[in-house]
Amino acid sequence: MISRRFVLFAFTFALLAVGWRAPMSAPAVRVDFGKIYLTPTHLYVGEMYQGINIYDVRDPAAIRSVGYVPLEGNLDVVGTGTVMYADNYEDLLVFDCTDPAAPVVIDSLQKVFTGHTKPQPIVYGVNENTYGGSSGCSGSDGCGTAPPQYDMTDGGRNTGGSGGASGQSGSMSRFAIVDHYLYCIDVANLVVFDIIQPRAPKLVGKVSIGFGIETLFPYENYLFIGSQTGMFIFDARDVRLPIKVSEFRHARACDPVVVESERAYVTLRNGTRCGESENELHIVDIADVKSPMLLASHGLDGPQGLSVRNSMVIVCDANDVKILDVRNEKSPVPVSSIPVANGYDVIWSGDLLVIVAPNGLYLYDVADPAQPRQLAMVSNVRKAA
């Protein structure tokens, strides 16, 4: 019989031989936050090509995570009422967000976007035979039916249905809702969907623009599209078939654009995949949309996303987020700065400012733009699964 003393000795010897190893905790990982979309109650934050984080922001000072949608190939999300639209590589997915914390896929339109090919079929809780479903497909391989045809001559804006977007996108967004139409851009096209029936969008058609288009901003009757070489202006009074009216060219650079009244505000940033240019804020006169003219350029350190209201521009820069009074476009006046470096994009809604940056989300109270007050910060560093 083995003695108790021998067992204790053997255990001690083995422990000394191999050493004590505490249980390994999951390493921390940093996820890449990207596009942002804000509704009156929730904030949707994309993880680049991975999924969508959902936060309850009814009390911005106590923002809390309430859900996550794993969605490969996703960059953008936008919504109307309780319906949300998101890209999944070349497909458009339709979500029922009656419970904003738990979106459910109810339909999709397949192969409507170019530039982000899906490596393999991905089905999110929808029967394979009906995936691509009730709203009809694009007519591409795998859809099985040709796309529906629509009368492209109706220049009026439909006044029925659910209205426009239920929230606000950042300046980096590629999706926008105007009246009852969803506009999306891929690398070369403006893609138009009829969403008069929000749960069953229909592909209307595509307008070829050219490669390198990146951002989309609707304002009044026009769509302002930022590209790597300039800003395109499309007349969207014919909501089914927007028509290009002009373009404003600049040096090759990545450039989001926002608009207020008769001014467009464009940021150019060098040292990126878009090419080399100056780090600048361009202020463009669009009083005549057919002939946009540069009014002024102002040097910055590395600008990205921006927002404008009442001639006040909030712009993400390399070292901080700047708030500028641009009533005199030739000589903008610094109002204040927010100590968030390398911000990617912003949404300015009421007194709330949402900033997405490399290290997470920041929420600020900007009721007094001269004295921004931080409400909350959400880190994008998490434990690995």
Side-chain angles (χ1 to χ4, degrees):
M1 178 178 291
I2 300 176
S3 68
R4 186 176 300 175
R5 179 178 297 177
F6 178 80
V7 172
L8 178 61
F9 172 79
F11 175 77
T12 304
F13 178 80
L15 183 62
L16 292 173
V18 302
W20 173 257
R21 295 180 181 178
M24 294 284 290
S25 60
V29 295
R30 185 183 299 276
V31 300
D32 293 326
F33 281 169
K35 307 296 181 70
I36 45 179
Y37 182 73
L38 179 67
T39 74
T41 59
H42 289 79
L43 174 65
Y44 296 80
V45 182
E47 282 182 18
M48 303 292 282
Y49 296 103
Q50 298 298 319
I52 303 169
N53 298 272
I54 306 168
Y55 298 92
D56 186 323
V57 291
R58 283 174 287 190
D59 180 359
I63 180 175
R64 60 189 182 89
S65 175
V66 294
Y68 178 75
V69 179
L71 188 57
E72 292 185 19
N74 172 254
L75 288 174
D76 285 82
V77 61
V78 70
T80 179
T82 59
V83 178
M84 303 290 286
Y85 309 97
D87 56 328
N88 162 225
Y89 292 106
E90 72 266 45
D91 300 343
L92 177 72
L93 297 189
V94 185
F95 289 88
D96 182 336
C97 292
T98 302
D99 178 0
V104 177
V105 175
I106 55 175
D107 200 3
S108 77
L109 279 77
Q110 296 180 355
K111 299 182 180 180
V112 290
F113 303 127
T114 58
H116 301 291
T117 303
K118 184 162 54 178
Q120 59 185 4
I122 300 175
V123 178
Y124 293 91
V126 182
N127 184 285
E128 180 69 29
N129 294 325
T130 58
Y131 185 67
S134 61
S135 64
C137 296
S138 66
S140 302
D141 291 343
C143 284
T145 58
Q149 300 297 313
Y150 299 96
D151 178 10
M152 304 290 280
T153 62
D154 178 12
R157 292 180 177 270
N158 189 294
T159 57
S162 63
S166 57
Q168 184 175 343
S169 300
S171 63
M172 294 293 190
S173 179
R174 300 177 309 141
F175 286 14
I177 293 176
V178 179
D179 286 350
H180 308 289
Y181 289 83
L182 169 64
Y183 298 109
C184 307
I185 57 173
D186 56 25
V187 295
N189 304 289
L190 174 66
V191 188
V192 184
F193 300 92
D194 175 336
I195 57 169
I196 291 175
Q197 298 181 47
R199 298 169 66 89
K202 295 178 174 64
L203 175 65
V204 172
K206 298 183 180 182
V207 179
S208 177
I209 297 176
F211 283 91
I213 56 176
E214 297 187 315
T215 65
L216 175 62
F217 188 89
Y219 187 77
E220 294 184 346
N221 294 321
Y222 296 92
L223 302 176
F224 295 82
I225 298 174
S227 80
Q228 295 176 12
T229 57
M231 173 185 69
F232 297 96
I233 303 177
F234 277 71
D235 186 332
R237 283 175 291 186
D238 180 346
V239 289
R240 290 175 177 265
L241 188 62
I243 298 172
K244 179 181 172 182
V245 294
S246 65
E247 62 184 277
F248 168 75
R249 290 281 180 175
H250 56 57
R252 184 173 171 81
C254 297
D255 72 324
V257 54
V258 296
V259 177
E260 181 182 56
S261 186
E262 297 179 347
R263 300 287 184 267
Y265 303 87
V266 182
T267 59
L268 281 69
R269 180 169 174 258
N270 70 16
T272 71
R273 60 181 173 80
C274 301
E276 295 296 329
S277 70
E278 299 298 324
N279 289 307
E280 292 180 330
L281 170 67
H282 282 186
I283 303 177
V284 181
D285 185 341
I286 55 168
D288 180 357
V289 293
K290 295 181 180 180
S291 300
M293 296 188 305
L294 180 65
L295 291 174
S297 297
H298 303 286
L300 294 171
D301 299 313
Q304 296 196 68
L306 71 168
S307 185
V308 61
R309 186 197 300 168
N310 298 328
S311 297
M312 198 89 68
V313 170
I314 297 181
V315 57
C316 297
D317 206 1
N319 300 309
D320 58 5
V321 175
K322 293 179 169 62
I323 302 180
L324 306 172
D325 183 334
V326 292
R327 283 176 292 183
N328 180 348
E329 63 270 4
K330 301 292 185 181
S331 300
V333 176
V335 175
S336 61
S337 68
I338 296 172
V340 175
N342 297 308
Y344 173 67
D345 204 2
V346 292
I347 291 177
W348 186 2
S349 178
D351 295 337
L352 178 65
L353 181 69
V354 178
I355 306 169
V356 61
N359 60 342
L361 291 170
Y362 293 83
L363 278 69
Y364 275 78
D365 183 330
V366 288
D368 180 359
Q371 296 183 317
R373 180 172 61 88
Q374 183 173 327
L375 298 173
M377 187 270 179
V378 178
S379 174
N380 61 347
V381 176
R382 303 175 187 158
K383 289 183 178 180

